[in-house]
Amino acid sequence: MSRTFTLKENLGLQFAQWENTTIISADISKQQREVLLANFKAAIRIPSVSFSQTHQNTSALREFDQLLRRVFPNVFSSSLVKHEVVGNYSHLFTVLGTDPELVPYMLLAHIDVVPANEVDGWEAPPFSAKELNGFIYGRGTIDNKQCVMGILQAVEYLLERGYVPRRGFYIGLGHDEEVYGYNGAVNIAKVLKSGGVKLQYILDEGLAVMDGIITGLNGPAALIGVSEKGQATVKLSASTRLGHSSMPPKENSIGILAAAITRVMERRPDMNAFVRTTTAVTMFNSGVKVNVLPSHAEAFVNLRIHPAQTLQEVLDLIKSTISDNRVKLELVDGFDSLPISSYDEQSFGYQIIKKTLLDMFPQVTVAPSICIGNTDSRHYMDLTQDIYRFNPTWLRPGEPER
């Protein structure tokens, strides 16, 4: 039934006159494939790590810049493409179209990765790009250098074949997405906004093809994120009188706070990241000596807020759930979930992405969903009403944990 519905729903797309352009085959030669993989491995081997907002591997970011210029010569030399470096290390590409009446779209990805250490259970060194059983291992292979290299490689191939688009588009490659994107994506968005740019839609990283991961669904599903969860960090703390372990009171600061956190987590024991707000205790600090009862304990809780709730509603729920005046609640930082982008049959961006997915992966079911992580795309909300989040990555059971 699902497959029949998918075919029927997409019938009109086969005859849509949206672009009316000549189709260029996606087939590549064996030699091109070898070069493509070599370029991708080179990208993975560059440790472009973001440790914090004030600490990034800037030498690696400069090395990545040189790699892009070397392996995508047409992108950087074509008269159709304007390139700008933004925030020292991010990249903005403007690809001109032949029809200025068509509103452009934008593709996003990010260069930076989170830290990785081989002792953390890696089957191969995290920046080795080693091949094992047909897979390339390395930090950034699925977050998010596959999109960086895939986007630019596609443009490189199209330029080689003389392609000139009717609809112009932008490419934004951020360098600090893993630490909130304040220097990369924020500044790229400012450049576009200052130029009066409005976008038809944006496609950023996000969900993927889930094969055998969704309970009750037979076959793979390509989930397109039409919204993404909000996020908040909350500090919970409790204070009591200082004491000694030889004369323990009935309750101390650690016990009070632990009980409060337990009530928060047990509120919904069957929490599921896709359908509700999630809570995760990420830090718990207390104590200075083994035989001294601490007077103060604090914990940090990370919340991923479902679009059905606001940040304030979640804070109110936590407070009422804890229901203990001895526990202080402070909002460290946070923001609401993003608006839900259109995904009906008249939605240009969603249907273009969906049609492309079905062209490449005809066996998948395509469906809208909620991106449970946060992306750079939230910084571009003033430029478009429609933001979509999808990675062209095929994931099987056990692989999302990677």
Side-chain angles (χ1 to χ4, degrees):
M1 288 176 62
S2 174
R3 184 60 185 148
T4 302
F5 174 73
T6 301
L7 284 170
K8 181 180 178 182
E9 187 180 20
N10 284 278
L11 185 62
L13 289 174
Q14 307 299 325
F15 307 102
Q17 297 300 311
W18 288 332
E19 295 301 288
N20 191 27
T21 188
T22 302
I23 299 298
I24 294 180
S25 172
D27 293 339
I28 60 175
S29 68
K30 181 180 179 181
Q31 183 181 4
Q32 286 177 313
R33 178 177 173 79
E34 290 174 353
V35 172
L36 181 153
L37 290 174
N39 293 343
F40 182 57
K41 289 178 181 179
I44 298 302
R45 292 187 183 110
I46 299 175
S48 50
V49 176
S50 289
F51 297 96
S52 69
Q53 292 183 46
T54 57
H55 182 198
Q56 289 188 269
N57 189 340
T58 54
S59 62
L61 292 172
R62 287 191 291 269
E63 184 181 355
F64 203 91
D65 178 287
Q66 295 168 1
L67 172 72
L68 296 183
R69 294 173 190 271
R70 184 174 73 253
V71 302
F72 303 123
N74 289 304
V75 173
F76 284 88
S77 64
S78 172
S79 60
L80 287 177
V81 182
K82 176 187 175 184
H83 171 247
E84 302 170 68
V85 174
V86 180
N88 296 322
Y89 307 105
S90 289
H91 299 267
L92 172 61
F93 299 89
T94 303
V95 183
L96 301 175
T98 59
D99 189 344
E101 296 299 315
L102 296 176
V103 181
Y105 61 95
M106 189 169 192
L107 306 175
L108 298 179
H110 64 89
I111 295 165
D112 63 323
V113 298
V114 294
N117 194 314
E118 195 168 350
V119 300
D120 292 335
W122 284 83
E123 296 170 51
F127 297 103
S128 67
K130 183 177 181 180
E131 275 196 55
L132 292 174
N133 301 318
F135 290 89
I136 298 172
Y137 283 72
R139 178 67 90 212
T141 51
I142 58 175
D143 186 14
N144 181 241
K145 290 179 180 177
Q146 88 280 30
C147 288
V148 172
M149 302 303 283
I151 291 168
L152 293 183
Q153 190 71 72
V155 176
E156 182 76 9
Y157 285 156
L158 288 170
L159 291 172
E160 285 178 0
R161 301 178 190 190
Y163 174 76
V164 179
R166 289 186 63 222
R167 184 184 299 272
F169 61 95
Y170 296 89
I171 300 169
L173 306 179
H175 73 274
D176 61 345
E177 189 274 346
E178 298 292 1
V179 287
Y180 302 112
Y182 295 134
N183 291 316
V186 167
N187 284 319
I188 292 175
K190 285 180 180 178
V191 170
L192 296 175
K193 194 172 181 180
S194 67
V197 172
K198 288 294 181 182
L199 300 170
Q200 183 76 37
Y201 69 92
I202 286 175
L203 174 62
D204 196 3
E205 63 170 331
L207 299 171
V209 177
M210 305 292 190
D211 189 356
I213 294 174
I214 301 175
T215 303
L217 178 65
N218 294 324
L223 303 182
I224 302 173
V226 295
S227 177
E228 67 181 53
K229 287 188 168 186
Q231 183 180 174
T233 300
V234 172
K235 177 183 175 183
L236 301 177
S237 59
S239 298
T240 58
R241 292 181 61 183
L242 193 67
H244 195 276
S245 61
S246 62
M247 296 177 290
K250 184 177 179 180
E251 288 185 296
N252 62 22
S253 59
I254 295 177
I256 293 170
L257 191 57
I261 291 172
T262 299
R263 288 194 290 275
V264 172
M265 299 302 290
E266 286 185 346
R267 175 78 179 182
R268 297 182 187 271
D270 59 342
M271 282 183 176
N272 181 282
F274 283 99
V275 297
R276 56 178 62 87
T277 295
T278 60
T279 60
V281 180
T282 56
M283 296 174 65
F284 200 118
N285 304 316
S286 188
V288 293
K289 201 171 185 290
V290 294
N291 62 346
V292 175
L293 299 176
S295 61
H296 185 78
E298 62 183 31
F300 290 85
V301 181
N302 185 257
L303 307 164
R304 298 301 172 112
I305 302 166
H306 193 275
Q309 292 178 296
T310 66
L311 172 56
Q312 188 57 53
E313 287 172 342
V314 173
L315 295 177
D316 292 342
L317 177 62
I318 292 175
K319 192 170 184 179
S320 65
T321 302
I322 292 174
S323 189
D324 189 336
N325 292 331
R326 296 171 297 177
V327 177
K328 182 180 179 182
L329 185 151
E330 300 174 59
L331 175 64
V332 178
D333 56 51
F335 51 87
D336 283 316
S337 60
L338 270 64
I340 297 176
S341 299
S342 64
Y343 57 92
D344 59 21
E345 291 184 2
Q346 305 305 313
S347 174
F348 177 81
Y350 182 86
Q351 294 297 342
I352 283 289
I353 297 167
K354 181 174 182 176
K355 181 181 184 301
T356 306
L357 276 166
L358 291 171
D359 284 346
M360 300 307 298
F361 309 117
Q363 70 273 45
V364 305
T365 297
V366 181
S369 189
I370 295 169
C371 188
I372 59 178
N374 294 121
T375 70
D376 268 345
S377 65
R378 62 192 173 92
H379 299 304
Y380 296 84
M381 288 174 56
D382 291 341
L383 302 176
T384 184
Q385 293 183 331
D386 287 329
I387 299 176
Y388 304 102
R389 305 152 188 89
F390 181 81
N391 285 331
T393 304
W394 196 288
L395 298 176
R396 294 177 174 83
E399 291 178 354
E401 289 79 2
R402 294 187 183 277

